Amino acid sequence: MALNRLIDREIDARNPRTAGRALPRRLISAPEMALFAALAGVVLVVAAWQLNPLCVQLLPGAVVVLVGYSYTKRFTWMSHAVLGLADALAPIGGWIAVTGSLAPEALLLGFAVGIWIAGFDVLYACQDVDFDRANGLHSIPARFGIPVALNVAKAAHVLTVLALVLLGVSLGLGVLYWAGVVAAAGLLIYEHSLLKPDDLSRLDMAFFNINGYIAVVLFLATAGDLALTWLLAR
């Protein structure tokens, strides 16, 4: 995030929606932000080295994706997919950190997270359509219009739920997990009900609040299911 803000600081300064961020307002200087990002990078390298060899081997590729994402909106409307990939690396990396290996279930979990993130990033980009078009920036809303973008986001979130279902079946997860998936699906439906092509006034609620609830619900449901399985097996 520090690198994203640093790389986009000039764009953020021109955009009325983001002009109030710390770098455009000079609450933080660019060298200070760069130092923070560099320190975070050092921590990342040390953490990977302490985990296992596979984490170290995959680290350069992860860094390329994390850094490269910030530049993609300058040349492709598929920038949402690259952001999804960057976030998908988190659960995949967590799996590798714990097991020292990569399994199909990890990729499925990564896909669920990545397509979910990409979907709501498409929604988020709807508020910058005019600015993006005027400044030569690329996004699905700017390229195809808001109605198409809303449908793309819906399709992405249908795939999210399908991936979560396949993950539950593959791992043999129990009733608490399935309750979480049902709740997450309901929240996604509600999220999309808040937005209309001619009315994005509740976008912040859909983007920040609802997606935060989804993350917490899925975490608690999965952790609870695993804990229950462990207790019953004792």
Side-chain angles (χ1 to χ4, degrees), residues 78-105:
M78 289 296 289
S79 56
H80 317 283
V82 182
L83 176 62
L85 174 61
D87 282 274
L89 295 179
I92 294 173
W95 188 290
I96 295 171
V98 173
T99 67
S101 63
L102 182 60
E105 291 84 359

Side-chain angles (χ1 to χ4, degrees), residues 59-84:
L59 179 60
V63 171
V64 168
V65 174
L66 289 171
V67 177
Y69 154 70
S70 295
Y71 294 98
T72 55
K73 63 185 174 185
R74 291 162 170 79
F75 59 86
T76 176
W77 50 265
M78 289 296 289
S79 56
H80 317 283
V82 182
L83 176 62

Side-chain angles (χ1 to χ4, degrees), residues 172-179 219-234:
L173 297 174
V175 64
L176 290 181
Y177 174 80
W178 292 112
F219 170 75
L220 292 177
T222 306
D225 191 80
L226 294 174
L228 180 61
T229 300
W230 179 78
L231 287 172
L232 292 175
R234 293 190 68 182

Side-chain angles (χ1 to χ4, degrees), residues 111-112 115-116 118-120 122 151-161:
F111 176 79
I115 199 71
W116 169 47
F120 72 68
V122 171
N151 287 329
V152 168
K154 289 176 183 176
H157 289 157
V158 168
L159 291 175
T160 299
V161 175

Side-chain angles (χ1 to χ4, degrees), residues 9 12 32 39 59 79 84 93 100 108 113-114 137 146 152 192 212-213:
R9 63 189 184 278
D12 287 345
E32 288 171 338
L39 291 174
L59 179 60
S79 56
L108 190 55
V113 171
L137 299 175
I146 291 177
V152 168
H192 286 277
Y213 300 152

Side-chain angles (χ1 to χ4, degrees), residues 105-216:
E105 291 84 359
L107 297 176
L108 190 55
L109 177 59
F111 176 79
V113 171
I115 199 71
W116 169 47
I117 297 290
F120 72 68
D121 189 60
V122 171
L123 297 179
Y124 192 67
C126 287
Q127 61 192 323
D128 287 332
V129 168
D130 293 336
F131 177 83
D132 287 350
R133 288 172 175 169
N135 288 270
L137 299 175
H138 302 270
S139 71
I140 286 177
R143 174 65 177 84
F144 300 103
I146 291 177
V148 171
L150 294 182
N151 287 329
V152 168
K154 289 176 183 176
H157 289 157
V158 168
L159 291 175
T160 299
V161 175
L162 290 176
L164 291 172
V165 169
L166 291 175
L167 182 65
V169 172
S170 177
L171 292 175
L173 297 174
V175 64
L176 290 181
Y177 174 80
W178 292 112
V181 171
V182 170
L187 286 167
L188 285 170
I189 292 171
Y190 178 61
E191 176 181 322
H192 286 277
S193 75
L194 296 174
L195 304 175
K196 301 292 186 293
D198 58 350
D199 182 9
L200 300 175
S201 60
R202 292 187 286 181
L203 182 62
D204 278 353
M205 180 179 179
F207 181 81
F208 293 106
N209 297 49
I210 303 303
N211 284 300
Y213 300 152
I214 290 170
V216 172

